[in-house]
């Protein structure tokens, strides 16, 4: 069977990707342990998990994540904060609509604000699903607010 150059060089997931998958498994286990709690208790605990994770971030990422959290909470209060692969995410009916990814998480040049297929951002045959964040100006905050509002319909 012939092998391609790509398969010969593939060495599996990166350490960061494996760590994110393990984090996701821990998040699912933690959520399962809250089964007896009320919906309000689960949502409050999930938001505390998000805020704790944000507090652990490096300064630049933490400042962005805190501001993004506030913008999303104000623009779309119906979205419930939760951790998703170790990063802050915001879900409707348990399905992630948008998420923040710190630059540090995957040793990236910039943090990102991403939107899932649950977001109502469709625009023709192609549209952005993630945005690089290097800082937040008033104009960028307005753009994010508009995107989040559009995403939730």
């Amino acid at each position: 069977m012939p092998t391609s150059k790509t398969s010969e060089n593939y060495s599996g997931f990166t350490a960061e990707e494996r760590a994110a998958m393990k984090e996701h498994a821990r998040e699912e286990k933690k959520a399962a342990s809250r089964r007896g709690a009320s919906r309000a208790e689960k949502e409050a605990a999930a938001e505390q998990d998000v805020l704790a994770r944000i507090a652990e971030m490096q300064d630049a990422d933490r400042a962005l994540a805190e501001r993004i959290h506030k913008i999303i909470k104000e623009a779309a209060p119906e979205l419930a904060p939760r951790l998703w692969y170790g990063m802050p995410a915001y879900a409707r009916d348990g399905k992630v609509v948008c998420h923040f990814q710190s630059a540090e998480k995957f040793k990236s040049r910039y943090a990102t604000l991403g939107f899932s297929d649950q977001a109502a951002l469709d625009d023709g045959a192609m549209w952005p699903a993630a945005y690089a964040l290097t800082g937040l100006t008033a104009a960028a905050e307005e753009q994010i607010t508009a995107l989040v509002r559009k995403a939730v319909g």
Side-chain angles (χ1 to χ4, degrees):
M1 174 184 270
T3 60
S4 69
K5 183 86 171 153
T6 303
S7 65
E8 289 174 12
N9 292 333
Y10 182 72
S11 61
F13 295 104
T14 66
E16 292 83 8
E17 290 167 331
R18 285 191 303 276
M21 288 184 283
K22 287 178 184 176
E23 183 66 32
H24 184 63
R26 282 191 295 272
E27 292 161 8
E28 293 298 313
K29 191 179 281 188
K30 192 172 188 179
S33 73
R34 296 177 177 151
R35 281 202 176 109
S38 72
R39 181 177 177 165
E41 290 170 329
K42 289 178 189 176
E43 287 178 359
E47 182 162 13
Q48 286 307 308
D49 291 345
V50 166
L51 294 173
R53 184 55 47 94
I54 290 171
E56 294 170 359
M57 292 178 185
Q58 292 181 351
D59 292 345
D61 286 338
R62 184 175 55 252
L64 288 171
E66 287 171 344
R67 192 67 195 124
I68 293 294
H69 180 77
K70 184 176 181 190
I71 291 168
I72 292 171
K73 293 284 290 177
E74 290 173 1
E78 65 270 31
L79 294 181
R82 60 174 276 203
L83 289 177
W84 190 56
Y85 293 94
M87 289 287 105
Y90 304 86
R92 178 178 39 216
D93 300 326
K95 296 181 180 178
V96 171
V97 174
C98 58
H99 66 280
F100 175 84
Q101 183 176 295
S102 70
E104 176 189 18
K105 179 78 172 177
F106 292 102
K107 297 177 177 49
S108 176
R109 184 167 65 106
Y110 45 76
T112 58
L113 174 62
F115 293 88
S116 76
D117 61 341
Q118 299 297 309
L121 297 175
D122 302 31
D123 184 17
M126 185 172 85
W127 58 90
Y131 296 83
L133 301 171
T134 57
L136 288 178
T137 62
E141 289 184 14
E142 287 177 23
Q143 185 178 6
I144 291 167
T145 298
L147 281 168
V148 170
R149 286 186 178 146
K150 183 177 179 185
V152 297

